[in-house]
Amino acid sequence: MTANKRLKTLGWYLVLAGLGYLFLFPLLFMIVSSFKPESAIFTDLYSLRAILPVGELTLDNYQGVFDKSRIGHYFLNSLLITGGTVVMGLFVNSLLAFSLSRLEWRGQKLILSAVIALMIIPLEAVVVPMLLLVSQLPSLGWEEGRLVLEGSWMNTRHVQMLPFVANAFFIFLFYQFFRDIPKDFDEAAKLDGASPFQIYRHIIVPMSGPVFATVAILHFMVMWNQYLWPIMAVQSEAARPVMPGIQIFFGRETKWGEIFAYASFITLPVLVVFMIFQKRFVRSLAGAGIKG
Amino acid sequence: MADLQLEGVVKRFGEVQTIHGIDLDVTHGEFVVFVGPSGCGKSTLLRLIAGLEELSEGDIRIGGESVAHLPAAQRGVAMVFQSYALYPHMTVRENMGFGLRMAKFDKAEIDRRVEEAAAILKLEPLLERRPKALSGGQRQRVAIGRTIVRNPKVFLFDEPLSNLDAELRVQMRVEIAKLHAALGNTMVYVTHDQVEAMTMADKIVVLRDGRIEQVGSPLELYLNPVNEFVAGFIGSPRMNFFECRVLDVADDRLRLELPGDERIDMPADATGLRSGDRVTLGIRPEHILEHDRADIRLAIDVEVVEHLGGSTFVYARHIGGDAITLQVGGLSDIQPKDHRRVSFSRQICQLFDGDGRNISPHKVPGELKDEEPGQAATA
Ligand SMILES: Nc1ncnc2c1ncn2[C@@H]1O[C@H](COP(=O)(O)OP(=O)(O)OP(=O)(O)O)[C@@H](O)[C@H]1O
Ligand SMILES: [Mg+2]
């Protein structure tokens, strides 16, 4: 390597490191501040100390969070809602994509165009009609040993799950991946006596690990970060997930340390999930890039 | 007994018809090879038999029973794909057993059959490997093994050897032939390769544009092609063709003028021909002799000579300007830029009328021995 080249490499590293810190800054600030007393957060605010774990460190903020809110309960709700939706979503979205990419049926093209068109409609655009809809939908329930229709979908966990199971973007991701798997596999399996569902289950799914990992991560993040919809559809404590739970800390006496502690705590699962799947995720994104 | 019969088979993709009414009888245990130029419908026909494409018209019978409306898996056929289509996430054992697993065989029976097939194909040491960890030839064997375990009535092969290098091809060709001898099942085999077709087939089916041009044994097609297309397609290097003018017509003879003014008498079915008509004379490269003692002589200018050791290819130009290829046995002393006279027997050449129909007399292998024989009968 010539000196010139080495200088260039060094330059690039500096730029990348700089950008890295820039993006890392809010995260570090949040985590570090969650361990600081309220006063220290503000005195450190305009120096580098803001993102360094220095000075007096304490767990008081976390104590406060657990005392004031039912964060454990919200957390469990979020886990159930997110986990359930992601699992159902992987199945439903990949199955539709399979049917679109590998089977032949009337109206297939139309459905595919509809899926693609749906990708550009944001939640905000449909959220009000959706709310009206779910408020009218009855739930099934047991009463005195009989199946009855009761109440509405409001204030439940399933109202936070079912509307988000099918997702046009994830269907499209699956579709693109499946489309590139040679048809010979399906035909060989068909001759082996496999039904379409068995082809999906035994051939296509096992060959599609990377796209399942990618969609699982993305869907997890979407679901974990749900805010607008739970605020609208859930007023009760019982079904509340973590994100709207942060609201109770904004009041007459806002304590930023506790807000940071709460935020840090609920960010944790996202980081864990990402680290578990990160390798496959990155690989599949890189692969997608090459295929263009 | 699993005869295979195609009756008036037609296939249309939307508006486009690609198979135009095919009738074919294959008797039990026969090895049938489909050949023809790219796009002529070989794969489509095979896939119709397999049940991977739906028939537009006609019927397909296996062992006397119509299978046209049966799903692929119930037809009693198994197919080896050109790409092998081995499931990458399964071991060799799982790949071979997948069909049986789908058919709900119990585990012990699956293992027994897989191991039996693995023994035939010498795959035992590889059973626990994934396809990725196999060589091309091994993958090929697994693909064949996968079909054997299901004990099908009819084996279908779509250009199974085209991804292998030359040496492996020869090896696998022999193995497939052995397998056929051992199992005795009906096999239908699609290939581009002349040598594969000539060496493996009991019966060759020559296809063009979705129609059968000729069906027959390799030797029959070689000696008595029904038309110019089959004559040009079977045999390698390709048959030489010369356009000739008819000078005079008798019942069973034609007097012809070769390009370059040479005049010859040819035995032929001359009905419908008149003097002045054009006919095509065909002679295989391996039937042209280096000397000028046979009865039809040609003067040639040699352009390129290829020594293959066992034989020599000579590419030359005939006085009339047509390109001509010779294949002579052993190491020939012909040199580029030579002017030479070569010759061939009128008994062995073919004559085609204006529509390409073969009008030369039927040839029988034994009879040709009387005349001066050419070199080896097959390329
Ligand atoms: N699914 C399809 N839809 C439309 N046309 C098709 C389809 N499959 C094949 N064809 C057409 O049918 C014709 C025959 O194709 P086929 O694949 O059988 O040819 P082939 O003889 O196997 O050629 P090759 O030697 O190149 O494999 C071609 O003209 C092809 O374009
Ligand atoms: Mg083909």
Side-chain angles (χ1 to χ4, degrees), chain B residues 37-44 46-47 82 158-159 190-192:
Chain B
S38 192
C40 69
K42 304 181 292 290
S43 299
T44 305
L46 204 67
R47 293 165 55 80
Q82 184 175 1
D158 193 354
E159 308 203 28
V190 168
T191 183
H192 264 114

Side-chain angles (χ1 to χ4, degrees), chain B residues 44 83 110 372:
Chain B
T44 305
S83 64
I110 295 178
E372 177 139 13

Side-chain angles (χ1 to χ4, degrees), chain A residues 1-15:
Chain A
M1 225 193 273
T2 65
N4 201 346
K5 235 179 180 174
R6 212 175 298 170
L7 215 63
K8 218 169 168 181
T9 314
L10 188 71
W12 269 115
Y13 274 114
L14 284 177
V15 170

Side-chain angles (χ1 to χ4, degrees), chain A residues 203-224:
Chain A
I203 310 294
I204 301 298
V205 173
M207 288 168 70
S208 307
V211 69
F212 275 87
T214 305
V215 171
I217 287 191
L218 294 177
H219 209 170
F220 179 91
M221 302 230 258
V222 168
M223 290 312 294
W224 191 261

Side-chain angles (χ1 to χ4, degrees), chain B residues 21-313:
Chain B
I22 288 211
D23 298 297
L24 181 68
D25 268 335
V26 179
T27 43
H28 176 76
E30 249 183 331
F31 197 111
V32 180
V33 174
F34 291 172
V35 294
S38 192
C40 69
K42 304 181 292 290
S43 299
T44 305
L45 203 53
L46 204 67
R47 293 165 55 80
L48 284 166
I49 299 170
L52 294 173
E53 302 282 356
E54 220 170 300
L55 273 177
S56 302
E57 279 174 38
D59 197 11
I60 295 175
R61 281 193 291 272
I62 294 174
E65 278 178 58
S66 171
V67 295
H69 300 290
L70 288 183
Q74 288 169 28
R75 295 188 174 194
V77 301
M79 182 156 164
V80 176
F81 292 80
Q82 184 175 1
S83 64
Y84 312 148
L86 299 180
Y87 313 126
H89 56 285
M90 298 185 196
T91 62
V92 169
R93 180 187 293 280
E94 288 162 343
N95 262 286
M96 287 170 65
F98 185 71
L100 299 176
R101 198 172 129 213
M102 290 295 105
K104 303 243 157 40
F105 279 79
D106 63 52
K107 179 130 187 357
E109 174 68 6
I110 295 178
D111 280 344
R112 194 185 65 73
R113 287 221 208 169
V114 167
E115 272 151 32
E116 200 177 284
I120 296 175
L121 293 163
K122 304 193 188 65
L123 285 170
E124 289 124 319
L126 308 175
L127 277 177
E128 309 311 327
R129 288 210 202 157
R130 295 274 162 87
K132 223 196 305 179
L134 300 178
S135 72
Q138 291 167 338
R139 281 179 209 183
Q140 175 65 68
R141 274 207 285 276
V142 176
I144 294 174
R146 186 163 68 175
T147 61
I148 293 180
V149 292
R150 297 183 45 221
N151 191 19
K153 296 182 194 143
V154 180
F155 283 91
L156 306 172
F157 298 85
D158 193 354
E159 308 203 28
L161 306 186
S162 57
N163 289 334
L164 302 179
D165 62 46
E167 199 179 326
L168 256 175
R169 269 170 106 132
V170 175
Q171 206 178 318
M172 285 310 298
R173 199 172 83 206
V174 175
E175 282 198 34
I176 292 177
K178 274 193 206 156
L179 195 69
H180 179 238
L183 300 176
N185 296 48
T186 309
M187 297 192 175
V188 183
Y189 190 104
V190 168
T191 183
H192 264 114
D193 188 309
Q194 288 291 323
V195 186
E196 277 174 32
M198 294 301 282
T199 54
M200 301 173 88
D202 294 319
K203 191 189 253 178
I204 295 180
V205 178
V206 183
L207 294 164
R208 172 162 64 156
D209 294 339
R211 290 190 178 81
I212 292 183
E213 292 286 314
Q214 189 172 3
V215 180
S217 70
L219 217 53
E220 175 68 12
L221 264 57
Y222 180 80
L223 290 175
N224 297 298
V226 293
N227 57 29
E228 204 176 320
F229 174 80
V230 175
F233 198 80
I234 298 290
S236 153
R238 209 175 126 81
M239 184 183 271
N240 297 296
F241 294 107
F242 305 103
E243 215 171 79
C244 309
R245 205 156 60 88
V246 178
L247 297 175
D248 204 4
V249 183
D251 275 351
D252 57 352
R253 316 230 115 222
L254 286 175
R255 187 159 180 76
L256 301 177
E257 184 185 54
L258 281 171
D261 285 349
E262 180 133 6
R263 286 154 192 232
I264 53 170
D265 273 331
M266 287 288 297
D269 167 16
T271 35
L273 284 173
R274 283 179 297 160
S275 75
D277 284 351
R278 301 233 146 238
V279 293
T280 306
L281 179 87
I283 178 73
R284 296 197 183 276
E286 58 271 30
H287 293 149
I288 304 180
L289 307 171
E290 282 177 273
H291 55 71
D292 60 358
R293 296 191 295 276
D295 44 13
I296 300 177
R297 281 171 288 275
L298 294 172
I300 59 166
D301 291 328
V302 177
E303 291 181 333
V304 178
V305 179
E306 290 176 351
H307 292 285
L308 301 182
S311 61
T312 305
F313 290 166

